[in-house]
């Protein structure tokens, strides 16, 4: 990816010419991390970690910096993460603020799971936004999987209730529920989400529930607040980071993992059905830093 | 609240010198470090922050602050004033020129809020007695045309579409002829979301611009955007010479530092802000409120006015 080459070459720039790891160099690294949206706090923590390692291992050559940085970030991203397990039956509830890529991600996920031989069904839980149901229907056609929908303006919890009953009746493996975009500071909309989450737990106790928070890679520090509140309301189990095909670095996920411990599951790299990758900390980090 | 935290931090910085009387250069530097962190946490671009801090430090080193009894407030005041003036003046109107129909083109990244903003502007214009028309030039996003049609019917404004099999440049061109022959005086063109680094799709916008000769090219930007806002805004501006910006989703709790970054790199006015999903949720842009918001003082002023 273009963006990662950029970051790598920036780091290459500052570590060239036989420099030593010193405060000046660390300050330049700090700038690079902040420009990647890692945020002030997490950046400070990473720099401090590097400082420690430099001391412990008695390294000083600037060429080691990239490796130390990769190690720090990898530790954060990988700490206590269990691999994502696709089981059956399973409900995937997809949530997030407006326009981040929820509906598109659902289309891509459905395609992925179907290719893995799962029976997939979609639920049009966004009954609010103009033409949101039509949009999901087009994705269901592309993937060739069934979809449960109600009319625009109807109660989202009840369409998801219907989705669950249909999934049970038809022996669906993975039920993926779309929801309307909502800003985390809107109390009533977040209560609506809490209710949806309750309906799923109550109606489908035998299913494993994954709640994926979709984040736009171009988002800045507000994403931390988004993750915090969505986690509290709907028990987020993972993150999908979309739009990484742009120039944004998506460094915010490092902060979110560091502060809230939520693992990253998938990344979106385009608008096409195949533009989704399973998130892998190792290759993510190495794509950025090596 | 965040304001208390910046204000509180500055108090902390200045507490040590109580009784000492005057502020030293070091005191100001320490204070500026806190301001810098506040701005970075608000997502103002790192480079923009650096320039800003340098400029403000110079100002703050002036006599008045040094001898002030309430240095923390003084510093916040200076920072706030500088931020406000950087943000530009209030320019929340559309320059629609003399030709009929006037043409407005909406551009921006995927999901920033273009289609919604089309509906909001159409609504505003209609209230001003205009006869606007929406044009569906997004042939990429699934159900984009349907979305615009729903939006159009909600504000009772016609939508021109040629389906999703026609080239957007041709659609745009045909829409102008249609508007002329149907007494429409403003044409608002919705375009597909695209990345600023997508040469092919950026070229499409340039070609639409050529055939419709727009009075306004508005870049629609999500207020939650982080450090990359400068790259996005400068790319769109370089290619299209945009005339203004609409900042959306400010009903969230983002501090919205992207506003400052965009203004700093494009020098183009922010004309409107989006404050909700409803088609009436559009407001003028007030630089002073945005400055307070970025510094973490919240929308105190807006609240006061609404009360
Ligand atoms: N470049 C790029 N665009 C994406 C990606 N994922 C989604 N998009 C685009 O982003 C826009 C918004 O996507 P949606 O899936 O409609 O987002 P949403 O979160 O469902 O939006 P709401 O339901 O309105 O809240 C669309 O134009 C998508 O094509 C991605 O990974 N890369
Ligand atoms: N809360 C809030 N939501 C908004 C605002 N403006 C737009 N939205 C929402 O953001 C999402 C995306 O808006 P769209 O108008 O579809 O964005 P777009 O730029 O046309 O998206 P693409 O055509 O896919 O590139 C929708 O869920 C809108 O309802 C706003 O000011 N506040
Ligand atoms: Mg959606
Ligand atoms: Mg649109």
């Amino acid at each position: 990816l273009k963006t990662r080459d950029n970051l790598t070459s920036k780091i290459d720039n500052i570590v060239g010419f036989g420099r030593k790891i010193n405060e000046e160099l660390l300050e330049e690294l700090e700038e690079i991390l902040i420009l990647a949206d890692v945020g002030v706090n997490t950046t400070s923590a990473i720099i401090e970690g590097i400082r420690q390692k430099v001391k412990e291992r008695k390294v000083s050559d600037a060429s080691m910096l990239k490796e130390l940085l990769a190690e720090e970030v990898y530790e954060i991203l990988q700490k206590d993460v269990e691999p994502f397990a696709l089981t059956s039956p399973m409900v995937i509830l997809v949530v997030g603020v407006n326009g981040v890529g929820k509906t598109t991600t659902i289309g891509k996920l459905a395609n992925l799971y179907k290719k893995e031989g799962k029976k997939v069904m979609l639920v049009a839980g966004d009954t609010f936004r103009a033409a949101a149901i039509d949009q999901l229907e087009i994705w269901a056609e592309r993937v060739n999987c069934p979809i449960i929908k109600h009319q625009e303006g109807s109660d989202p919890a009840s369409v998801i209730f219907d989705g669950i009953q249909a999934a049970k009746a038809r022996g669906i493996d993975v039920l993926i529920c779309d929801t309307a975009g909502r800003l985390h500071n809107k109390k009533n909309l977040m209560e609506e989400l809490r209710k949806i989450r309750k309906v799923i737990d109550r109606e489908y106790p035998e299913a494993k529930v994954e709640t994926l928070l979709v984040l736009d890679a171009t988002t800045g520090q507000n994403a931390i607040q988004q993750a915090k509140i969505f986690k509290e309301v709907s028990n987020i189990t993972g993150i999908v980071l979309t739009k990484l095909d742009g120039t944004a670095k998506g460094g915010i996920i490092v902060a979110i993992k560091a502060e809230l411990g939520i693992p990253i599951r998938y990344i979106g790299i385009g608008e096409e059905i195949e533009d989704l990758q399973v998130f892998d900390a190792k290759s993510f980090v190495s794509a950025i830093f090596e | 609240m965040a304001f208390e935290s910046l204000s509180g931090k500055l108090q902390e910085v200045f507490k040590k010198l109580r009784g000492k009387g005057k502020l030293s250069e070091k005191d100001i530097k320490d204070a500026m470090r806190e301001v810098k962190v506040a701005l970075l946490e608000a997502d103002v671009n790192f480079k923009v922050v650096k320039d800003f801090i340098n400029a403000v430090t110079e100002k703050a080193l002036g006599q008045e602050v040094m001898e002030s009894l309430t240095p923390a407030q003084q510093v916040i005041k200076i920072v706030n004033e500088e931020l406000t003036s950087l943000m530009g003046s209030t320019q929340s109107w559309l320059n629609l020129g003399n030709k009929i129909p006037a043409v407005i083109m909406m551009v921006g990244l995927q999901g920033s809020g273009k289609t919604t903003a089309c509906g909001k502007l159409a609504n505003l214009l209609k209230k001003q007695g205009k006869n606007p028309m929406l044009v569906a030039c997004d042939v990429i996003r699934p159900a984009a045309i349907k979305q615009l049609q729903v939006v159009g019917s909600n504000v009772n404004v016609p939508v021109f579409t040629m389906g999703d099999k026609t080239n957007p440049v041709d659609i745009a061109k045909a829409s102008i002829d249609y508007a002329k022959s149907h007494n429409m005086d403003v044409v608002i063109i919705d375009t597909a979301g695209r990345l600023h680094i997508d040469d092919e799709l950026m070229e499409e916008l340039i070609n639409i611009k050529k055939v419709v000769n727009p009075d306004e090219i508005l870049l629609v930007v999500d207020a939650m955007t982080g450090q990359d806002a400068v790259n996005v805004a400068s790319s769109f501006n370089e290619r299209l010479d945009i005339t203004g910006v609409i900042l959306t989703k400010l009903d969230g709790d983002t501090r919205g530092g992207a506003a400052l970054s965009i203004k700093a790199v494009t020098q183009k006015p922010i004309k409107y802000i989006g404050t909700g999903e409803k088609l009436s949720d559009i407001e003028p842009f007030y630089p002073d409120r945005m400055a307070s918001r970025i510094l973490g003082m919240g929308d105190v002023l807006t609240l006061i006015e609404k009360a």
Side-chain angles (χ1 to χ4, degrees):
Chain A
L1 288 173
K2 256 188 216 135
T3 66
R4 309 219 170 122
D5 294 343
N6 273 342
L7 198 57
T8 307
S9 65
K10 267 195 205 155
I11 294 177
D12 283 339
N13 273 342
I14 68 165
V15 300
F17 316 115
R19 292 177 67 176
K20 296 283 169 219
I21 300 181
N22 53 23
E23 281 310 305
E24 190 195 344
L25 190 64
L26 289 178
E27 218 165 274
E28 288 171 42
L29 180 62
E30 184 176 24
E31 173 172 345
I32 291 173
L33 289 172
I34 285 182
L35 281 170
D37 289 316
V38 174
V40 176
N41 284 343
T42 307
T43 295
S44 301
I46 291 171
I47 301 278
E48 192 45 44
I50 291 176
R51 223 178 250 130
Q52 290 287 333
K53 288 195 166 84
V54 166
K55 225 190 234 162
E56 280 163 20
R57 300 180 197 173
K58 302 195 170 38
V59 289
S60 65
D61 199 279
S63 61
M64 284 300 293
L65 189 62
K66 234 174 13 179
E67 218 167 284
L68 293 177
L69 176 62
E71 211 179 302
E72 279 298 316
V73 177
Y74 181 74
E75 268 169 30
I76 293 173
L77 290 175
Q78 203 49 29
K79 193 165 175 255
D80 303 324
V81 173
E82 306 280 327
F84 186 87
L86 202 58
T87 54
S88 174
M90 186 169 182
V91 177
I92 299 182
L93 179 64
V94 180
V95 302
V97 301
N98 308 81
V100 286
K102 294 176 292 299
T103 307
T104 309
T105 298
I106 288 171
K108 294 172 183 175
L109 283 175
N111 179 57
L112 184 73
Y113 298 154
K114 216 182 151 198
K115 284 206 299 204
E116 287 180 26
K118 300 286 181 190
K119 281 176 81 175
V120 181
M121 188 161 85
L122 308 184
V123 184
D126 180 356
T127 59
F128 179 76
R129 209 207 64 205
I133 300 168
D134 304 72
Q135 186 188 359
L136 192 70
E137 264 189 304
I138 293 176
W139 279 107
E141 272 164 38
R142 283 183 187 173
V143 177
N144 191 19
C145 71
I147 175 171
I148 300 295
K149 55 168 185 170
H150 284 184
Q151 270 174 354
E152 196 175 312
S154 58
D155 175 29
S158 82
V159 66
I160 286 173
F161 176 93
D162 280 3
I164 291 169
Q165 308 315 323
K168 286 180 186 169
R170 300 192 210 171
I172 294 292
D173 297 312
V174 188
L175 183 71
I176 313 180
C177 308
D178 195 10
T179 61
R182 69 199 73 222
L183 293 173
H184 51 286
N185 61 333
K186 303 269 165 91
K187 291 258 154 46
N188 55 339
L189 294 180
M190 295 310 279
E191 280 314 309
E192 179 190 271
L193 185 60
R194 202 191 290 274
K195 183 175 149 200
I196 289 173
R197 189 57 235 258
K198 269 196 195 134
V199 167
I200 297 172
D201 287 340
R202 189 185 65 216
E203 295 301 320
Y204 213 176
E206 62 272 39
K208 183 178 165 214
V209 184
E210 282 281 345
T211 307
L212 295 179
L213 174 70
V214 180
L215 291 178
D216 182 328
T218 30
T219 308
Q221 301 309 301
N222 191 249
I224 296 176
Q225 203 58 22
Q226 292 172 25
K228 233 180 233 166
I229 300 181
F230 272 101
K231 186 180 181 198
E232 188 191 305
V233 170
S234 59
N235 191 17
I236 302 301
T237 52
I239 283 170
V240 181
L241 187 67
T242 61
K243 309 185 195 176
L244 260 184
D245 45 328
T247 53
K249 322 288 190 302
I252 193 67
I253 58 164
V254 182
I256 289 176
K257 180 61 177 51
E259 289 188 27
L260 303 170
I262 308 170
I264 321 332
R265 295 310 191 182
Y266 297 96
I267 58 173
I269 48 167
E271 299 186 73
E272 304 291 325
I273 198 164
E274 304 284 347
D275 292 335
L276 182 83
Q277 287 174 5
V278 172
F279 177 80
D280 170 56
K282 200 140 216 160
S283 62
F284 185 78
V285 170
S286 67
I288 294 179
F289 303 116
E290 274 160 31
Chain B
M1 246 180 92
F3 169 59
E4 265 107 49
S5 87
L6 175 61
S7 165
K9 279 179 191 161
L10 289 179
Q11 304 278 16
E12 203 58 35
V13 170
F14 293 130
K15 207 169 67 188
K16 288 164 258 155
L17 53 97
R18 196 160 285 158
K20 210 168 56 173
K22 285 189 176 183
L23 291 185
S24 69
E25 208 166 317
K26 182 176 175 299
D27 297 326
I28 294 286
K29 287 255 158 69
D30 288 348
M32 286 305 141
R33 194 164 309 131
E34 299 299 340
V35 174
K36 179 179 161 187
V37 170
L39 293 176
L40 288 175
E41 281 173 349
D43 292 318
V44 181
N45 181 269
F46 192 91
K47 293 180 173 116
V48 176
V49 171
K50 252 188 180 165
D51 293 345
F52 179 77
I53 292 291
N54 287 340
V56 175
T57 304
E58 223 160 274
K59 279 243 158 112
L61 282 172
Q63 205 56 23
E64 263 172 64
V65 189
M66 303 286 246
E67 288 173 359
S68 157
L69 290 173
T70 52
Q73 278 78 352
Q74 282 295 315
V75 169
I76 286 188
K77 191 164 161 260
I78 292 175
V79 170
N80 194 33
E81 279 168 7
E82 286 298 302
L83 214 55
T84 305
S85 85
L86 257 189
M87 208 80 75
S89 53
T90 308
Q91 282 200 20
S92 299
W93 59 82
L94 296 165
N95 289 322
L96 293 184
N98 302 320
K99 72 178 182 335
I100 290 183
V103 180
I104 304 172
M105 206 175 141
M106 306 293 242
V107 301
L109 295 183
Q110 287 94 345
S112 56
K114 295 173 294 300
T115 307
T116 308
C118 283
K120 290 177 177 179
L121 284 188
N123 194 30
L124 274 187
L125 288 164
K126 205 162 161 123
K127 279 189 192 146
Q128 292 169 13
K130 299 272 186 194
N131 201 11
M133 178 177 92
L134 296 170
V135 180
C137 279
D138 179 355
V139 298
I140 299 176
R141 171 174 169 163
I145 298 174
K146 181 73 196 297
Q147 185 190 358
L148 193 68
Q149 284 170 332
V150 173
V151 163
S153 81
N154 284 346
V155 292
N156 212 359
V157 164
V159 177
F160 181 87
T161 155
M162 294 169 74
D164 59 6
K165 303 284 182 284
T166 310
N167 184 312
V169 181
D170 297 330
I171 300 173
K173 194 167 183 208
S175 76
I176 303 296
D177 297 333
Y178 183 92
K180 276 182 187 155
S181 60
H182 286 77
N183 246 352
M184 305 289 171
D185 49 15
V186 189
V187 166
I188 305 173
I189 300 176
D190 186 24
T191 62
R194 67 202 71 214
L195 296 174
H196 55 294
I197 49 169
D198 186 331
D199 287 327
E200 198 181 317
L201 285 181
M202 290 304 278
E203 196 62 35
E204 178 190 280
L205 289 181
I206 293 170
N207 289 329
I208 294 179
K209 179 181 175 181
K210 271 185 201 149
V211 300
V212 302
N213 187 21
D215 299 277
E216 289 272 14
I217 303 178
L218 300 175
L219 177 66
V220 181
V221 186
D222 185 324
M224 295 174 275
T225 311
Q227 296 287 321
D228 209 34
V230 292
N231 299 324
V232 174
S234 59
S235 303
F236 272 96
N237 192 39
E238 275 159 28
R239 305 260 193 144
L240 294 164
D241 191 17
I242 61 169
T243 59
V245 174
I246 296 182
L247 204 59
T248 63
K249 308 179 198 174
L250 270 169
D251 45 325
D253 58 3
T254 180
R255 303 260 294 277
L260 185 64
S261 309
I262 294 165
K263 186 70 206 333
V265 298
T266 65
Q267 293 302 326
K268 298 293 166 69
I270 298 172
K271 297 210 165 185
Y272 290 100
I273 60 170
T275 55
E277 297 191 69
K278 291 198 304 293
L279 297 175
S280 52
D281 293 332
I282 183 165
E283 290 175 19
F285 173 76
Y286 294 111
D288 50 341
R289 289 179 192 171
M290 198 66 223
S292 313
R293 183 175 178 139
I294 291 173
L295 282 177
M297 298 199 261
D299 259 351
V300 181
L301 287 167
T302 312
L303 286 177
I304 291 169
E305 194 166 276
K306 276 190 177 157

